[in-house]
Amino acid sequence: MASTSYSDKQPVSDVEKERTHLCDEFATITGTDSAVAQCYLAENDWEMQRALNSFFEADMERVFAEDLEDDTNPTPKKQKTEEQPPATCIDLTRDSPASSCNSAKEDEKKLSLISWNVDGLDTDNLGERARGLCSYLVLYTPDVVFLQELIPPYVQYLKKRAVSYLIVEAGGDDGYFTGMMLRKSRVKFLESEIVTYPTTQMMRNLLVAQVTFKGHKLCLMTSHLESCKGHAEERMKQLRVVMQRMKDAPDDVTVLFGGDTNLRDTEVVKVGLPSGVCDVWEKLGKQEHCRYTWDTKANSNKTVPFVSRCRFDRVYLRPATKEGVPQLAPDHMALVGLEKLDCGRYTSDHWGIYCSFTVG
């Protein structure tokens, strides 16, 4: 029996009207024109998400190809996993001898992490913004990095430019996804898994990695929960999955979750946090200077006709409870990415979260 295509189901006039609408929407999202929109949509059977993925991947391959070509002869100037980087890689995150010495003295027993939605779907100045991320990795040398809104070319860039980190991905060759970066000299990767959200409409999931840090067992989790106010119910369902996983972890394992949750405080109240799980920002006294991670009043990367200040990005901790197992305790939090780059934009439309934890 022959399959029925999209166009077979509608009168020609309706098909033309719908395709014109799709072209207009595609052009608006990508900043192109109707001719480009028609080309990408036609090549992808008029499926918007596939067409957008194809466009962004092609654009990003061009952006990063140019960037990597420039880096081949640099002028002197200041899970899927990849164990061994290519010989031609330049490590932008390698510690200097001085910083390595300071880290050994000051941070030997501390775990540090950054959680950041890097907005990889915004291709404007993305090469420079990816280098901006690497500069923050050099500055803070986090042991663990949780990233959201990654796209394949961005990950390939990080693999070539941040070779002191092992990268674990929750995505394939299409769309956008989350990932983790684990500092090879401090964090030992054991295994990872991707937990699906059955009813997501935005390709969201939970990335979980089992690691050890200084001999301590850690379960690391990151996710990008469903976006927009209208998807609160789905977002709360996803939060329940996260909290159940944190609650069910073995009692000799410390669990850390970080990501772009898109949560409103009222939603967290409805779901509730399990006993033993804390919101790190609240645990550290609800410091005002690091409350808002999505702040259109201060961050100009997105042009919106309103001011929105939200604490979308959050870090949750469930310390190990087994007697005799050292506990992880938060001792510092700050926002990162607050400085504009040379291009006049920020590393992302979100601020990143930097946290450090003592082990004792």
Side-chain angles (χ1 to χ4, degrees):
M1 179 177 179
S3 62
T4 302
S5 68
Y6 174 78
S7 58
D8 291 335
K9 299 177 182 178
Q10 302 182 66
V12 173
S13 58
D14 290 346
V15 172
E16 291 177 352
K17 185 183 299 184
E18 176 65 17
R19 289 182 174 179
T20 299
H21 172 72
L22 289 172
C23 285
D24 291 342
E25 186 177 356
F26 183 98
T28 299
I29 293 172
T30 60
T32 57
D33 56 31
S34 58
V36 173
Q38 185 173 1
C39 177
Y40 276 96
L41 284 163
E43 288 178 352
N44 290 278
D45 297 324
W46 295 91
E47 293 185 17
M48 177 64 76
Q49 191 61 56
R50 282 176 54 190
L52 288 172
N53 291 343
S54 178
F55 172 83
F56 284 125
E57 286 167 17
D59 194 42
M60 284 309 304
E61 286 170 3
R62 175 187 59 78
V63 169
F64 284 122
E66 292 172 357
D67 184 80
L68 294 173
E69 184 177 346
D70 290 342
D71 282 345
T72 303
N73 298 297
T75 56
K77 59 181 179 181
K78 197 180 164 189
Q79 197 323 312
K80 293 177 180 178
T81 62
E82 182 178 2
E83 292 291 352
Q84 296 297 329
T88 56
C89 289
I90 302 170
D91 187 4
L92 299 182
T93 62
R94 183 178 56 217
D95 295 340
S96 68
S99 66
S100 296
C101 181
N102 290 336
S103 296
K105 290 179 180 178
E106 299 172 9
D107 300 327
E108 182 66 25
K109 294 185 178 180
K110 285 190 176 184
L111 174 78
S112 59
L113 73 82
I114 286 177
S115 182
W116 208 338
N117 179 328
V118 295
D119 194 19
L121 294 177
D122 177 1
T123 59
D124 288 346
N125 309 111
L126 193 50
E128 183 172 347
R129 288 166 43 219
R131 290 195 298 274
L133 171 64
C134 288
S135 72
Y136 284 106
L137 299 184
V138 172
L139 181 63
Y140 290 94
T141 59
D143 299 304
V144 175
V145 185
F146 296 140
L147 299 174
Q148 302 85 48
E149 282 197 27
L150 289 169
I151 59 174
Y154 200 122
V155 173
Q156 293 306 312
Y157 178 87
L158 291 176
K159 286 180 178 179
K160 290 181 170 66
R161 293 295 177 264
V163 298
S164 55
Y165 286 87
L166 176 71
I167 298 178
V168 184
E169 304 165 47
D173 298 326
D174 298 319
Y176 62 101
F177 46 88
T178 63
M180 296 183 190
M181 301 177 69
L182 308 175
R183 195 173 168 200
K184 295 176 183 178
S185 62
R186 307 250 296 170
V187 180
K188 181 181 179 181
F189 172 77
L190 301 177
E191 62 180 357
S192 66
E193 65 174 312
I194 298 172
V195 180
T196 59
Y197 297 140
T199 52
T200 180
Q201 298 179 33
M202 301 180 183
M203 302 185 295
R204 306 295 168 84
N205 55 39
L206 175 65
L207 176 60
V208 182
Q210 307 296 333
V211 307
T212 60
F213 171 77
K214 301 294 181 182
H216 304 296
K217 297 178 182 178
L218 302 180
C219 176
L220 305 176
M221 302 181 181
T222 189
S223 189
H224 184 188
L225 303 188
E226 214 83 350
S227 306
C228 302
K229 187 176 181 179
H231 292 274
E233 289 301 321
E234 173 61 25
R235 185 162 52 249
M236 288 189 288
K237 286 172 62 176
Q238 295 169 2
L239 180 62
R240 290 186 183 97
V241 172
V242 173
M243 290 302 147
Q244 191 64 46
R245 294 288 299 218
M246 296 188 78
K247 178 182 177 182
D248 292 344
D251 61 1
D252 63 339
V253 174
T254 295
V255 188
L256 272 169
F257 168 90
D260 177 3
T261 68
N262 284 300
L263 286 166
R264 283 70 170 170
D265 289 341
T266 54
E267 297 166 4
V268 179
V269 171
K270 289 180 181 178
V271 173
L273 300 184
S275 175
V277 175
C278 72
D279 182 318
V280 171
W281 177 75
E282 293 180 350
K283 185 73 172 179
L284 290 173
K286 301 182 179 181
Q287 301 171 60
E288 194 63 26
H289 71 273
C290 51
R291 176 189 292 267
Y292 301 116
T293 62
W294 165 261
D295 187 353
T296 62
K297 182 178 181 181
N299 190 314
S300 56
N301 274 26
K302 298 294 186 192
T303 303
V304 293
F306 54 84
V307 172
S308 178
R309 309 184 78 198
C310 301
R311 193 166 70 92
F312 284 157
D313 305 85
R314 303 185 182 211
V315 177
Y316 291 111
L317 166 68
R318 197 222 68 177
T321 58
K322 186 175 182 178
E323 185 177 353
V325 176
Q327 289 205 341
L328 212 66
D331 72 346
H332 179 69
M333 175 181 280
L335 298 182
V336 297
L338 305 179
E339 297 80 22
K340 281 189 176 181
L341 305 171
D342 290 342
C343 62
R345 305 183 77 221
Y346 297 97
T347 300
S348 174
D349 60 330
H350 286 245
W351 305 137
I353 299 176
Y354 170 83
C355 295
S356 62
F357 302 83
T358 57
V359 182

